[in-house]
Amino acid sequence: MNADPVLPPGVSAARFARALSAFESIVGAPNVCRGGAALAPYLDPFAPVADARAFAPSAALLPADVDEIRAILRIANAARVPLWTVSTGRNFAYGGAAPRLAGSVVLDLQRLNRILDVDENLAWALVEPGVSYFDLHAHLRERGMKLWVDPPAAGWGSVIGNTLERGFGYTAYGDHAAAQCGMEVVLANGDVVRTGMGALDAGTAWPLYKPGYGPAFDALFMQSNYGIVTKMGLWLMPAPSAYTIGEIQFEREEDLGVIVDTLRTLQLRGTIEQHAVIEGAIRRAAGMGPRARWYSGNGPMPEAAIAAMQRELAIGRWNLHYALYGEPEVIDVQQRMVERAFASVTHARVTSKRYTGSEEPQGGGDRNMAGIPGMSAFRMLDWRGGEGAHVDFSPLCPADGRDALRQYALVKARAAEYGFDYYGGFTAAGRHLHHVFAAIFERNDPQQATRAGDLLRALMSDARAAGYGVYRSHLLYMDYAAAQYSFNDGALLRLAQTVKDALDPQGVLAPGKQGIWPAALRDMRGYT
Ligand code: ADP
């Protein structure tokens, strides 16, 4: 990386240098990353552009506590230096720790890493930003607490970062935003707010009852740039006495429709209460063998190669992976209900295994469903060989078989046009599905990276034309995604920016995040 820092727009080198030494006097020299190798972890490792400097920070700061964060804010406001907050910065495929606006200073909260409290009876935890799913899981295990975390695909990420981005996992507590309760937030002006019941000076129900008294604000701090979250409460799943993990493999592409419709009924009636996953063949195969075993040509894998791979690995074209939690007698009945529901689908193959509450499954995906964080999702990086990277296209899909088939056909065809396999699947949450497609590319090949980025843009525009929107996006497309939510000439974004200007008049907090630009930097929209 070039040693000269990329400065924030409108900030002179002299003003920046003064701000940086003021920051250093707050956090101490070892907690300031000024450039070169020290800043490398703050570049997007999977940038879908030819030059990752498009999202390069100017520096990174690692404060130790809320007081230091407040002092940093005072300086940032005075010098108009933008900050970009991350908890652990492992938001890979959406930008990692890199800021939307090049030249921003990353505020890395990994040193605020205490698990402040866990209540086993009421099943909640209160954590700081640097706490990862691995940390929380280990903490519960060490103390023998009968509580589960709900890990997302990669367990090394932070509980707070993932929840604020509305990430999801695979147990009955898979909707992370829904399982959040209570926050402490530092506002741009340095004010420290505790939401909900946390606003009582000696409150006892902060992580128990979300609304508190009066307007509720927690959701305002998700996927936004309105504050720096320094504490968060979350609900944990009481460890079940038993659980079953099942997989149903389906032979044909068109089975997706009936899978989605059947699964929706099972979820809405409460038979399956967790986030079940419908994996496409290629995603299911990753980790079982490299792509080159079946196809090494350019362009997407041909149908015949996919069919051969399916046969050889004994996997389905679609693979439904689900879990049932509770008393053994109850989950055995639920298992039969699931099997019955899918019995009419030709060639559907069911396998399942029941575990006692203390047993642990071996396979990566199964472990996630048993509340055990892991890193098996990263197997996908080996699919195409070389130094793998990926960017994700994540449209929300109604839980209706016709919509799922339509989105699948649309993504598969467009991906093929750009030379990518359909590496994807759906995570089902009752009324909606999270459809996630990953464009996997070689990170040292600027052409492939750019092509992946271009594909994402084409997919977003296809989706929009068909009436679908993404739930999350890479830094590169935050403006584009926000512009797609265009009802009444973009009224939603106008509202978001009105709130932004009221809370952060100097525009120092994460400018451009989710397409929300502060007044002073609004002309940066669309700029990369
Ligand atoms: P993780 O490491 O858990 O995957 P990150 O730390 O990269 O997640 O956070 C993802 C995104 O969420 C960041 O890019 C930032 O926009 C936002 N974010 C993360 N932590 C905070 C926080 N403590 N306060 C405000 N926003 C945050």
Side-chain angles (χ1 to χ4, degrees):
M1 185 183 158
N2 190 321
D4 294 335
V6 181
L7 295 180
V11 178
S12 67
R15 174 145 56 100
F16 182 74
R18 280 197 301 278
L20 207 54
S21 35
F23 288 142
E24 191 175 298
S25 68
I26 297 162
V27 296
N31 296 306
V32 180
C33 305
R34 285 171 171 275
L39 266 189
Y42 300 97
L43 287 178
D44 179 2
F46 297 169
V49 286
D51 183 1
R53 277 172 66 87
F55 304 107
S58 51
L61 310 173
L62 291 91
D65 56 31
V66 169
D67 285 340
E68 289 190 7
I69 293 173
R70 298 181 69 207
I72 289 169
L73 278 168
R74 272 196 296 279
I75 297 188
N77 271 295
R80 306 218 174 154
V81 168
L83 304 171
W84 177 266
T85 309
V86 300
S87 285
T88 52
R90 287 165 177 156
N91 195 20
F92 285 21
Y94 296 105
R100 167 66 187 87
L101 178 66
S104 301
V105 173
V106 176
L107 190 63
D108 179 345
L109 303 185
Q110 60 170 288
R111 291 175 66 214
L112 282 77
N113 60 359
R114 290 174 301 168
I115 295 166
L116 297 165
D117 204 355
V118 179
D119 186 314
E120 191 171 11
N121 296 324
L122 291 166
W124 57 261
L126 185 70
V127 299
E128 291 189 326
V131 175
S132 71
Y133 286 91
F134 282 130
D135 298 334
L136 186 54
H137 177 256
H139 181 97
L140 299 173
R141 281 296 164 88
E142 281 156 19
R143 287 158 185 76
M145 290 177 153
K146 302 227 168 316
L147 296 171
W148 280 13
V149 297
D150 180 275
W156 67 345
S158 70
V159 175
I160 290 190
N162 187 277
T163 304
L164 293 181
E165 286 295 289
R166 307 196 184 102
F168 52 85
Y170 308 96
T171 73
Y173 281 48
D175 182 344
H176 293 172
Q180 175 273 332
C181 186
M183 278 181 193
E184 179 184 87
V185 188
V186 185
L187 302 180
N189 65 4
D191 213 2
V192 182
V193 180
R194 289 189 175 175
T195 63
M197 304 302 285
L200 288 174
D201 276 332
T204 49
W206 193 13
L208 303 180
Y209 179 66
K210 292 190 197 197
Y213 179 76
F217 289 99
D218 294 31
L220 210 60
F221 297 102
M222 295 183 180
Q223 285 196 0
S224 76
N225 47 14
Y226 299 153
I228 298 168
V229 177
T230 47
K231 293 184 179 61
M232 197 187 83
L234 75 149
W235 293 334
L236 299 170
M237 178 169 150
S241 47
Y243 60 98
T244 289
I245 296 183
E247 183 177 66
I248 311 183
Q249 300 181 339
F250 301 87
E251 278 305 299
R252 300 163 311 184
E253 262 185 315
E254 61 270 27
D255 289 339
L256 178 62
V258 67
I259 301 169
V260 167
D261 289 331
T262 309
L263 182 59
R264 178 192 61 241
T265 307
L266 289 167
Q267 287 192 321
L268 291 185
R269 293 190 179 164
T271 310
I272 294 179
E273 293 194 302
Q274 48 78 247
H275 277 180
V277 183
I278 307 165
E279 287 192 308
I282 293 179
R283 188 168 117 179
R284 181 70 178 81
M288 299 172 87
R291 180 181 194 262
R293 205 158 116 195
W294 298 282
Y295 185 63
S296 52
N298 286 324
M301 253 176 113
E303 284 301 314
I306 297 178
M309 178 188 80
Q310 251 178 269
R311 273 193 309 276
E312 206 179 308
L313 297 179
I315 60 174
R317 186 62 191 240
W318 296 106
N319 305 271
L320 170 63
H321 202 190
Y322 63 93
L324 306 163
Y325 307 103
E327 295 305 314
E329 307 87 298
V330 177
I331 58 179
D332 287 349
V333 172
Q334 287 171 328
Q335 173 63 22
R336 285 200 292 279
M337 289 167 75
V338 173
E339 289 181 19
R340 208 159 47 225
F342 287 103
S344 63
V345 187
T346 323
H347 303 309
R349 294 187 298 274
V350 186
T351 47
S352 69
K353 179 162 185 209
R354 176 139 73 67
Y355 298 87
T356 64
S358 54
E359 273 176 308
E360 289 193 357
Q362 292 313 312
D366 285 4
R367 287 170 77 78
N368 276 341
M369 288 189 179
I372 306 162
M375 293 300 289
S376 60
F378 271 46
R379 293 180 312 205
M380 69 196 291
L381 301 181
D382 302 326
W383 176 241
R384 292 198 72 151
E387 285 279 297
H390 68 110
V391 276
D392 293 0
F393 169 61
S394 317
L396 226 274
C397 182
D400 183 307
R402 284 166 306 189
D403 286 291
L405 280 166
R406 193 165 171 223
Q407 284 201 2
Y408 167 61
L410 182 157
V411 174
K412 185 184 167 203
R414 191 63 85 188
E417 192 184 316
Y418 283 73
F420 292 90
D421 298 328
Y422 175 81
Y423 184 106
F426 297 79
T427 300
R431 290 175 178 80
H432 73 265
L433 309 161
H434 278 294
H435 183 188
V436 181
F437 159 78
I440 301 178
F441 59 96
E442 156 68 60
R443 80 176 85 169
N444 298 321
D445 179 342
Q447 261 180 353
Q448 261 194 44
T450 311
R451 209 162 56 237
D454 291 348
L455 166 61
L456 239 63
R457 188 181 176 90
L459 286 170
M460 286 170 68
S461 127
D462 289 342
R464 167 71 201 285
Y468 304 118
V470 295
Y471 94 99
R472 192 171 179 180
S473 93
H474 186 275
L475 300 168
L476 180 60
Y477 291 125
M478 282 184 172
D479 290 329
Y480 195 58
Q484 295 200 330
Y485 286 80
S486 60
F487 170 76
N488 189 16
D489 200 21
L492 187 64
L493 192 55
R494 277 202 301 284
L495 169 63
Q497 291 187 157
T498 304
V499 175
K500 177 68 179 165
D501 292 340
L503 288 177
D504 181 13
Q506 309 294 346
V508 293
L509 287 185
K513 181 165 167 60
Q514 247 64 28
I516 307 168
W517 291 94
L521 293 166
R522 227 153 263 167
D523 58 348
M524 300 303 291
R525 187 186 308 289
Y527 172 87
T528 50

